[in-house]
Amino acid sequence: MDINQTTESYLLNAIQNKRLSHTYMFEGDTLETLRRYGMFFALNIFGDTPRNQSLLVEGNHPDFYYLHTDENSIKKEAVGELMHVMNNKPTESEYKVYIIEAFDKLTPQAENSLLKFLEEPPEKTIAILLTIDKSNILPTIHSRAQHVHIKGQSSDRLKELEYLSEADLQTLDVLSLNAQHIKDTGENFTKLRSAAAEFSSKWINGHSLVLLDIKPMLDLCAERRDYSLLLQLIDGYVRQALHSKLKLDIFEPFKEGVKVDNIIGVNHLTNMLDEIEQANKMIQFNVHPMLAFEGMVIISKG
């Protein structure tokens, strides 16, 4: 398995030192990578033996339950079945382990039902919750989980997005954008990326009409999280401009390059990054996106 060594060591140490928590939340930007980490952790909890490997691969391990769905939500009935199975004592191993893939898909009823189970879990039972969008998960569930942040592997991030252009894929990979979110936007990602690059170029170079570009750009957003995606893209463009100014070529999310006038200095670009961060905080606090983006531009001009 292609596992990050630091995370691997953390998980293995928890097993070896017998300091396992009842609940782990693996969070990241790519479900495929999270799935691999979850299976890696489960295997090592059971014991990395050929028999356990075989049982897990075949989906026949009696002490393991994997809950996932291709539907838009995971309902209370599915969680009820999981809890029924997990209430039995382990038969093959010291522990019982269950993984819920895309935990953010749980309906409110399912989440509340599972919360009671997490509050008083059966002895020797370990939950591994996988999520690429933790924002709507109940705070009480967050508080009961050990959080493990896992950056998606490049190959996993790009696997289901081969319909994108090479330039789009480079932006996606360098900025570590949420692959599932990009997949949900479909072909609209190309438009968002192009609009962000055009806006950023005008903003960096002090174009007098840059404010007029904000509304058409925001109109491309189908849902609120797209505003944060736009800010990630703008942040990436400005950072690439900063790297270019500093003669550093190691950061290049926009393959076609960035346009920066010679008179633009490093301090100006650094201040722009600060304003992008402030705009993102405003978005998180449900400020109207037009106000957040306009404020970002106006304040940066001084």
Side-chain angles (χ1 to χ4, degrees):
M1 290 182 178
D2 184 15
I3 300 292
N4 176 276
Q5 292 297 310
T6 302
T7 304
E8 176 184 358
S9 297
Y10 169 77
L11 297 175
L12 293 178
N13 284 338
I15 297 169
Q16 293 163 1
N17 296 328
K18 297 188 180 298
R19 298 182 63 181
L20 287 166
S21 298
H22 288 298
T23 307
Y24 289 86
M25 186 176 292
F26 288 7
E27 55 190 73
D29 62 305
T30 311
L31 264 180
E32 185 66 32
T33 302
L34 296 178
R35 188 182 300 122
R36 185 155 56 250
Y37 272 84
M39 295 302 292
F40 168 85
F41 194 31
L43 173 61
N44 281 276
I45 290 171
F46 292 138
D48 188 356
T49 65
R51 173 174 171 76
N52 283 329
Q53 288 181 18
S54 177
L55 288 172
L56 285 176
V57 169
E58 295 167 2
N60 292 324
H61 200 294
D63 299 326
F64 180 70
Y65 193 98
Y66 197 103
L67 175 58
H68 77 285
T69 181
D70 293 328
E71 304 296 326
N72 292 327
S73 62
I74 298 175
K75 296 181 171 56
K76 183 178 178 180
E77 292 75 15
V79 169
E81 174 63 22
L82 179 153
M83 292 188 295
H84 174 74
V85 173
M86 285 294 113
N87 269 316
N88 298 321
K89 292 184 178 180
T91 57
E92 279 272 339
S93 309
E94 182 180 359
Y95 293 93
K96 291 184 75 72
V97 178
Y98 64 93
I99 295 176
I100 301 181
E101 179 182 304
F103 187 82
D104 41 280
K105 283 187 174 184
L106 263 68
T107 64
Q109 296 83 356
E111 199 172 1
N112 281 306
S113 178
L114 185 68
L115 174 59
K116 299 174 184 177
F117 194 68
L118 293 175
E119 289 174 334
E120 299 179 10
E123 189 177 359
K124 300 290 187 179
T125 300
I126 296 172
I128 304 172
L129 316 177
L130 314 181
T131 181
I132 57 172
D133 183 10
K134 62 180 182 178
S135 59
N136 293 321
I137 296 173
L138 289 171
T140 44
I141 290 181
H142 279 296
S143 67
R144 283 166 174 75
Q146 284 283 106
H147 290 256
V148 183
H149 188 270
I150 301 168
K151 181 179 179 180
Q153 301 287 343
S154 292
S155 56
D156 293 335
R157 192 180 297 113
L158 304 179
K159 184 182 299 182
E160 296 184 353
L161 296 166
E162 294 177 349
Y163 61 88
L164 293 175
S165 68
E166 186 177 339
D168 284 347
L169 290 173
Q170 181 166 319
T171 300
L172 168 75
D173 193 37
V174 174
L175 297 182
S176 297
L177 300 179
N178 188 308
Q180 185 60 47
H181 183 184
I182 303 306
K183 186 177 179 181
D184 292 342
T185 65
E187 296 179 357
N188 200 43
F189 175 69
T190 299
K191 297 178 182 178
L192 286 166
R193 177 186 176 279
S194 177
E198 184 175 353
F199 166 82
S200 300
S201 178
K202 290 182 179 179
W203 182 29
I204 287 173
N205 296 295
H207 195 288
S208 60
L209 300 179
V210 64
L211 287 171
L212 296 180
D213 280 10
I214 295 177
K215 187 178 186 304
M217 182 170 63
L218 296 183
D219 286 344
L220 294 172
C221 297
E223 51 184 313
R224 191 164 186 87
R225 60 176 177 162
D226 291 344
Y227 303 132
S228 294
L229 173 58
L230 268 178
L231 287 171
Q232 283 181 278
L233 292 167
I234 294 167
D235 181 273
Y237 193 99
V238 176
R239 288 185 187 279
Q240 183 169 336
L242 180 60
H243 277 68
S244 177
K245 277 288 178 181
L246 295 172
K247 307 299 183 185
L248 300 173
D249 297 324
I250 56 175
F251 184 78
E252 194 176 38
F254 289 87
K255 186 177 182 181
E256 60 271 42
V258 300
K259 300 173 183 178
V260 188
D261 288 345
N262 292 331
I263 61 172
I264 303 300
V266 169
N267 287 340
H268 176 67
L269 295 171
T270 302
N271 289 337
M272 291 177 72
L273 292 174
D274 290 339
E275 295 311 321
I276 294 170
E277 183 178 353
Q278 290 304 313
N280 197 41
K281 288 179 180 178
M282 293 174 71
I283 294 293
Q284 300 307 316
F285 281 103
N286 290 321
V287 173
H288 194 286
M290 194 69 182
L291 293 177
F293 278 74
E294 285 181 343
M296 177 179 76
V297 173
I298 293 170
I299 294 173
S300 69
K301 288 184 176 181

